[in-house]
């Protein structure tokens, strides 16, 4: 539970109808509670006289000064940043800097939005948590990172580079227990899922407990895996309890409470459900609904010793089963208080090799039954990053990227989730590739339709191996690949399955969830992380504004777009069609009329 919420700063937010406050939450949890006891190493933390374990975390809250709709959304911070979800043009903030309101979608509808810190490894200035730290005997872990620019020495921990007005983030790392450890190893790969080559110990060294150097330098477009030992052990899983107890705190004053997470924070919500934590220590339901976007079938390093929540790309045991929704919710069902769940993924998660595992058999590919408490949607042709032209322009891509923005669809799906979780109104069925209707096929099948474009090498496509999620051998032991299925494409090269934005539906170009890295001699053509392609179709006329509007109105009829967002969706489609990188001679830009 939250014992105390100490507010540090309160200021007016947006047009004055809301206030933005920063606070420190003081948590006290019972290590013997059935849910709390799921947290790794919590039983080793010293308790107070009342038998409780205590820790603190940052909290940011946006609340209406008056009125409000009586509902609260817990928005899980992604890598320590705060952001107002579901808002157009919202810019992230930190612990001391409010996020921009954008079009303030949630605030205009009276929601309270809370953003609790949960991640132990974010730097000061971002939203984090002070997890209890254990001093343990040396244990083995790994650091895994991709090199983008040549460098002779680097930090052990992973980093997000800065740029475009956003600061870079260096995640805290585990210091090496012995910098001269002869059993520490370094491996290098030329593809993320490719075999690793052992680097002789004489060619690399620790320059400090948290830095490593390689003779001749680390090479760009290579992946490195460092395996070493540490005695530093934060109890990372208390971040899950921060979500639970902040949700319980919100329920005191709100008639409906939902949770929302994107990417890393969406995977955290899947872990939350897997651990059966949607029941507080008094036996009450925490969240009525959970919305996890682009989390795919994965969880993450959130609840084990030496967990590194900030890791960006490596394969980990937690990427193993359970994948499908029924298995993910099994423990929660045994405890009760199952929330309604909305899962959305871009085409990139499918092309990474794990998106379809949410709703298919991982060996045969057979369609699994619709879970009564879960809906799953593919947002056709979209990628993991969404609309971020300045960022995408910096990436070494073989094909032009696209700027598809799924936000309007997300708003409609949020409304479906609210109505389902709070009012019992059934949502639309899942929109996903299926074997039964012929829309689920292999990636190799789809790539045959794109011979003129740059395509990745088939033998280095990423995949999900058979993994034991309960063990952590380093280097990780990969089993047989799980079956990777994606949506079949139509005559325009666009995905048949899923929810199609107006630009995709009208088919002026092929919008994909994959894009190879720009070719480098001597290296395989791998998929570039998280980005899709926009491949022009010269034979197709650009759609008119009227055609785009009709495509948007069709989404409204199917409850995948709000009527108020028709013009937003049309405007975003027009912006996509005016892509300056496209060849103007291959299409006609729509005019101002219908």
């Amino acid at each position: 539970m939250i014992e105390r919420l100490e507010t540090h700063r309160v200021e007016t937010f947006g047009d004055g109808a809301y206030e933005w406050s920063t606070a420190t939450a003081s948590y006290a949890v019972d290590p013997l509670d059935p849910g709390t006891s799921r947290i790794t190493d919590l039983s080793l933390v010293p308790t107070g006289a009342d038998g409780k374990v205590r820790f603190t975390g940052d909290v940011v809250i946006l609340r209406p000064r008056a009125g409000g709709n009586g509902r609260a959304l817990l928005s899980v911070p992604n890598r320590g940043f705060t952001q107002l979800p579901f808002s157009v043009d919202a810019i992230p903030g930190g612990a001391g800097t409010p996020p921009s309101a954008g079009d303030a979608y949630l605030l205009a509808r009276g929601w309270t939005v809370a953003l609790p810190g949960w991640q132990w490894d974010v730097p000061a200035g971002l939203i984090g948590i002070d997890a209890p730290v254990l001093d343990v005997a040396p244990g083995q872990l790994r650091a895994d990172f991709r090199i983008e620019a040549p460098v002779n020495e680097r930090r052990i921990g992973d980093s997000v580079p800065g740029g475009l007005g956003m600061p870079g983030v260096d995640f805290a790392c585990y210091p090496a227990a012995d910098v001269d450890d002869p059993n520490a190893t370094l491996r290098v790969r030329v593809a993320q899922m490719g075999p690793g080559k052992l680097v002789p110990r004489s060619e690399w060294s620790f320059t400090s407990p948290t830095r490593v150097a390689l003779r001749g330098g680390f090479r760009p477009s290579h992946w490195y895996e460092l395996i070493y030992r540490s005695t530093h052990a934060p109890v990372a899983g208390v971040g899950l309890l921060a979500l639970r107890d902040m949700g319980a705190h919100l329920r005191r004053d709100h008639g409906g409470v939902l949770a929302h997470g994107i990417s890393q924070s969406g995977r955290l919500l899947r872990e939350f459900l897997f651990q059966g934590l949607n029941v507080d220590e008094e036996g009450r339901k925490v969240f009525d609904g959970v919305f996890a976007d682009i989390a795919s079938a994965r969880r993450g390093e959130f609840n084990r010793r030496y967990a590194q929540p900030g890791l960006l790309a490596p394969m980990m045991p937690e990427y193993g089963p359970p994948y499908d929704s029924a298995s993910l919710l099994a423990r929660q069902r045994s405890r009760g208080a199952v929330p309604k769940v909305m899962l959305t993924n871009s085409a990139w998660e499918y092309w990474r090799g794990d998106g379809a595992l949410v709703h298919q058999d991982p060996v045969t590919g057979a369609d699994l039954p619709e879970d009564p408490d879960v809906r799953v949607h593919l947002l056709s042709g979209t990628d993991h990053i969404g609309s971020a032209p300045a960022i995408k322009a910096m990436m070494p891509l073989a094909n032009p990227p696209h700027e598809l923005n799924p936000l309007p669809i997300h708003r409609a799906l949020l409304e479906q989730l609210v109505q389902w979780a709070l009012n019992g109104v059934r949502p639309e069925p899942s929109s996903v590739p299926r074997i039964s209707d012929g829309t689920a096929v292999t990636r190799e099948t789809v790539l045959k339709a794109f011979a003129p474009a740059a395509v990745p090498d088939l033998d280095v496509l990423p995949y999900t191996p058979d993994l034991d999620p309960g063990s952590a051998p380093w280097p990780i032991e990969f089993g047989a690949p799980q079956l990777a299925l994606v949506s079949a494409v139509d005559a325009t090269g666009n995905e048949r399955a899923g929810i199609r934005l107006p630009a995709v539906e009208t088919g002026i170009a092929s919008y994909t969830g994959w894009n190879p890295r720009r070719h480098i001699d001597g290296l395989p053509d791998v998929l570039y992380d998280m980005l899709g392609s926009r491949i022009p179709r010269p034979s197709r006329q650009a759609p008119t504004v009227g055609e785009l509007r009709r495509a948007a109105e069709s989404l409204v009829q199917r409850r995948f777009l709000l009527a108020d967002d028709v013009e937003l969706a049309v405007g975003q489609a027009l912006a996509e069609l005016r892509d300056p990188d496209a060849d103007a001679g291959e299409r006609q830009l729509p005019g101002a009329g219908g």
Side-chain angles (χ1 to χ4, degrees):
M1 63 175 291
I2 293 180
E3 284 189 313
R4 186 173 65 260
L5 196 61
E6 180 184 0
T7 300
H8 305 302
R9 180 180 169 192
V10 178
E11 62 183 70
T12 299
F13 186 85
D15 61 3
Y18 268 74
E19 65 180 25
W20 173 82
S21 63
T22 59
T24 298
S26 297
Y27 300 91
V29 299
D30 179 2
L32 301 180
D33 172 79
T36 309
S37 64
R38 298 286 307 169
I39 302 306
T40 300
D41 283 344
L42 191 68
S43 62
L44 303 180
V45 179
T47 63
D50 58 357
K52 300 290 185 68
V53 171
R54 288 174 167 80
F55 56 95
T56 61
D58 302 319
V59 180
V60 166
I61 300 178
L62 286 161
R63 58 168 61 88
R65 292 187 181 275
N69 66 6
R71 299 168 180 170
L73 181 79
L74 187 149
S75 178
V76 185
N78 188 308
R79 305 188 187 281
F81 290 99
T82 61
Q83 187 162 9
L84 189 58
F86 302 102
S87 291
V88 176
D89 296 330
I91 299 174
T97 305
S100 72
D103 71 350
Y105 177 80
L106 292 175
L107 308 190
R109 287 154 180 78
W111 286 82
T112 294
V113 182
L115 302 103
W118 63 271
Q119 192 173 338
W120 75 268
D121 58 351
V122 297
L126 299 181
I127 299 291
I129 199 166
D130 292 322
V133 178
L134 302 175
D135 188 13
V136 298
Q140 195 178 66
L141 71 148
R142 65 82 177 82
D144 199 311
F145 45 87
R146 184 181 67 192
I147 297 297
E148 299 288 1
V151 62
N152 292 327
E153 180 183 339
R154 60 157 285 152
R155 296 174 63 256
I156 291 174
D158 218 333
S159 301
V160 175
L164 303 176
M166 296 293 293
V169 179
D170 289 333
F171 298 107
C173 55
Y174 291 92
D178 178 5
V179 296
D180 297 317
D181 185 355
N183 295 316
T185 60
L186 181 68
R187 289 175 172 82
V188 61
R189 307 185 301 276
V190 297
Q192 186 175 10
M193 301 294 295
K197 179 182 178 182
L198 193 64
V199 179
R201 186 67 172 87
S202 59
E203 294 185 9
W204 68 273
S205 63
F206 291 100
T207 58
S208 78
T210 59
R211 297 187 68 83
V212 64
L214 176 63
R215 183 185 301 167
F218 295 98
R219 300 177 62 187
S221 301
H222 287 64
W223 285 258
Y224 291 87
E225 180 184 56
L226 173 67
I227 298 173
Y228 66 107
R229 296 186 303 157
S230 183
T231 61
H232 183 68
V235 183
V238 298
L240 292 161
L241 301 181
L243 301 192
R244 181 195 67 181
D245 291 354
M246 179 53 65
H249 178 81
L250 292 170
R251 187 166 288 284
R252 297 178 187 177
D253 301 317
H254 298 87
V257 182
L258 275 65
H260 173 261
I262 301 173
S263 191
Q264 177 215 35
S265 50
R267 292 188 288 109
L268 182 73
L269 287 174
R270 285 179 57 86
E271 179 74 24
F272 181 89
L273 296 171
F274 169 67
Q275 298 295 349
L277 290 173
N278 201 43
V279 182
D280 69 15
E281 291 184 342
E282 297 181 15
R284 299 171 301 191
K285 177 184 279 190
V286 178
F287 299 116
D288 299 293
V290 171
F291 194 137
D293 179 37
I294 53 177
S296 200
R298 293 180 168 182
R299 294 178 289 122
E301 285 197 8
F302 306 134
N303 186 34
R304 62 175 162 92
R305 184 173 293 183
Y306 304 127
Q308 301 172 82
L311 282 177
L312 296 177
M315 186 58 61
M316 57 187 72
E318 290 85 355
Y319 288 174
Y323 308 115
D324 67 277
S325 298
S327 300
L328 184 77
L329 291 174
R331 185 175 289 110
Q332 191 67 65
R333 287 206 163 100
S334 71
R335 301 195 68 205
V338 178
K340 301 305 183 185
V341 181
M342 188 71 70
L343 303 176
T344 54
N345 286 297
S346 76
W348 158 253
E349 284 76 51
Y350 282 79
W351 277 84
R352 188 176 58 190
D354 53 286
L357 298 178
V358 176
H359 52 81
Q360 73 171 46
D361 184 281
V363 177
T364 67
D367 303 329
L368 298 177
E370 181 98 295
D371 188 281
D373 296 306
V374 182
R375 292 296 183 268
V376 186
H377 298 288
L378 161 66
L379 277 62
S380 311
T382 60
D383 64 24
H384 195 87
I385 299 296
S387 180
I391 292 176
K392 292 182 176 181
M394 298 188 300
M395 303 303 180
L397 303 175
N399 296 319
H402 59 65
E403 298 301 328
L404 294 180
N405 188 342
L407 177 63
I409 293 174
H410 287 156
R411 288 178 172 180
L413 293 177
L414 173 67
E415 181 61 24
Q416 285 194 35
L417 179 60
V418 169
Q419 293 300 320
W420 188 21
L422 302 183
N423 300 324
V425 178
R426 291 180 63 83
E428 295 303 304
S430 296
S431 299
V432 294
R434 292 186 171 94
I435 291 286
S436 59
D437 63 9
T439 59
V441 297
T442 65
R443 294 174 293 183
E444 292 84 351
T445 299
V446 172
L447 289 177
K448 291 177 182 178
F450 290 91
V455 298
D457 292 339
L458 297 180
D459 59 348
V460 291
L461 286 175
Y463 62 91
T464 297
D466 185 17
L467 294 169
D468 178 2
S471 67
W474 306 116
I476 192 169
E477 297 175 359
F478 291 173
Q482 309 290 12
L483 183 60
L485 296 180
V486 298
S487 174
V489 297
D490 62 17
T492 69
N494 285 296
E495 294 183 317
R496 292 170 52 199
I499 305 171
R500 307 206 320 180
L501 287 159
V504 178
E505 180 66 22
T506 51
I508 183 60
S510 301
Y511 296 96
T512 80
W514 54 268
N515 201 330
R517 183 185 62 206
R518 190 176 301 138
H519 179 73
I520 300 173
D521 289 343
L523 295 179
D525 291 332
V526 300
L527 286 185
Y528 200 83
D529 286 350
M530 300 186 274
L531 299 181
S533 302
R534 184 187 191 280
I535 302 171
R537 291 283 172 175
S539 61
R540 292 189 61 85
Q541 292 260 325
T544 66
V545 172
E547 289 171 330
L548 293 171
R549 187 170 287 116
R550 285 190 289 274
E553 290 169 347
S554 175
L555 289 173
V556 174
Q557 294 171 5
R558 295 158 53 209
R559 298 174 63 201
F560 292 138
L561 186 69
L562 302 177
D564 289 346
D565 281 340
V566 167
E567 296 310 314
L568 171 63
V570 171
Q572 290 179 343
L574 290 173
E576 169 61 33
L577 293 178
R578 294 189 181 103
D579 178 1
D581 291 331
D583 184 350
E586 294 179 343
R587 66 179 188 195
Q588 298 175 2
L589 291 178

